[in-house]
């Protein structure tokens, strides 16, 4: 525990199909059922070498945990601590763009939002719901950019979520993808 009354981050493992993804988990002090936030990060990888998903999640975890929320920053396939577990969707979208242009990229993006990336987030929610310290009636999902789009799709299929917060969903893609 630290002075703010929470512990973390702990590195946790989350099964998503045949993959073992990693997440960073912060937990408030005490023995209770905690309201919980799962964070759905944006795109990382490919030509983006300026942003470190582990560091970005590490900035958010203490903010939520310090307010009494358990916080899981799940690193989806091929990203950050989950590198080597599946293929990074950003790299797939960049490859599709080079080979087939914006429309090819859009197809790959929508496909991964509805399949692999979606499954990763559902696996993260299942992981949280199986914990004895999570108040399963008070789980929220927060996402940005690509993760904001994914958050909306997860929320549509998970009516038990208590809150959904998105910022800049599909920020790069919104005006370039009629499907989104």
């Amino acid at each position: 525990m630290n002075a703010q009354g929470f512990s973390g981050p702990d590195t946790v493992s989350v099964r998503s199909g045949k993959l073992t993804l990693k997440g960073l988990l912060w937990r408030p002090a005490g023995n209770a059922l905690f309201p919980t936030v799962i964070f759905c990060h944006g795109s990382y990888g490919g030509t983006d070498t300026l942003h470190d998903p582990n560091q970005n999640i590490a900035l958010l975890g203490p903010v939520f945990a310090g307010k009494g929320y358990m916080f899981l920053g799940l690193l989806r396939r091929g990203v950050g601590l989950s590198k080597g577990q599946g293929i990074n969707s950003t790299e797939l979208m960049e490859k599709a763009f080079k080979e087939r242009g914006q429309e090819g990229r859009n197809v790959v993006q929508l496909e991964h939002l509805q399949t692999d990336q979606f499954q990763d987030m559902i696996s993260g929610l299942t992981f949280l719901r199986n914990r004895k310290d999570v108040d399963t009636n008070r789980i929220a999902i927060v996402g940005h950019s690509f993760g904001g789009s994914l958050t909306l799709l997860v929320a549509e299929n998970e009516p038990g979520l208590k809150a959904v917060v998105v910022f800049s969903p599909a920020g790069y893609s919104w005006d370039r993808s009629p499907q989104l």
Side-chain angles (χ1 to χ4, degrees):
M1 287 299 148
N2 61 29
Q4 289 87 14
F6 61 87
S7 63
D10 293 325
T11 302
V12 296
S13 296
V14 174
R15 294 290 299 165
S16 181
K18 295 180 180 179
L19 304 178
T20 302
L21 306 176
K22 298 295 182 183
L24 298 174
L25 182 76
W26 285 260
R27 185 184 182 287
N31 294 320
L33 294 177
F34 296 105
T36 301
V37 172
I38 184 169
F39 180 67
C40 190
H41 63 75
S43 299
Y44 291 102
T47 58
D48 178 8
T49 58
L50 298 176
H51 301 99
D52 179 350
N54 304 326
Q55 286 181 334
N56 290 342
I57 288 171
L59 293 173
L60 293 173
V63 172
F64 283 94
K67 300 291 183 188
Y69 292 87
M70 185 169 303
F71 181 89
L72 173 62
L74 179 64
L75 293 141
R76 296 187 311 274
R77 58 188 67 210
V79 174
L81 295 173
S82 295
K83 192 171 182 115
Q85 293 295 306
I87 301 172
N88 181 316
S89 63
T90 301
E91 293 170 11
L92 291 172
M93 288 185 290
E94 287 179 356
K95 181 178 184 228
F97 182 80
K98 287 177 187 172
E99 293 173 357
R100 302 187 315 257
Q102 187 64 46
E103 180 143 335
R105 183 196 183 282
N106 292 350
V107 168
V108 169
Q109 180 176 13
L110 195 56
E111 176 185 311
H112 282 269
L113 283 168
Q114 295 174 324
T115 58
D116 295 343
Q117 300 293 310
F118 181 84
Q119 178 57 48
D120 290 351
M121 292 309 297
I122 297 299
S123 296
L125 286 168
T126 299
F127 169 83
L128 289 171
R129 288 179 175 133
N130 287 329
R131 289 182 59 97
K132 295 187 184 321
D133 51 359
V134 169
D135 183 343
T136 58
N137 293 312
R138 296 192 302 162
I139 297 177
I141 184 169
V142 175
H144 78 93
S145 194
F146 181 92
S149 300
L150 184 54
T151 293
L152 291 173
L153 291 172
V154 171
E156 177 184 31
N157 290 280
E158 289 287 324
L161 293 170
K162 192 54 120 183
V164 178
V165 179
V166 297
F167 49 103
S168 189
Y172 175 76
S173 307
W174 199 254
D175 63 342
R176 296 174 180 98
S177 175
Q179 298 87 354
L180 285 177

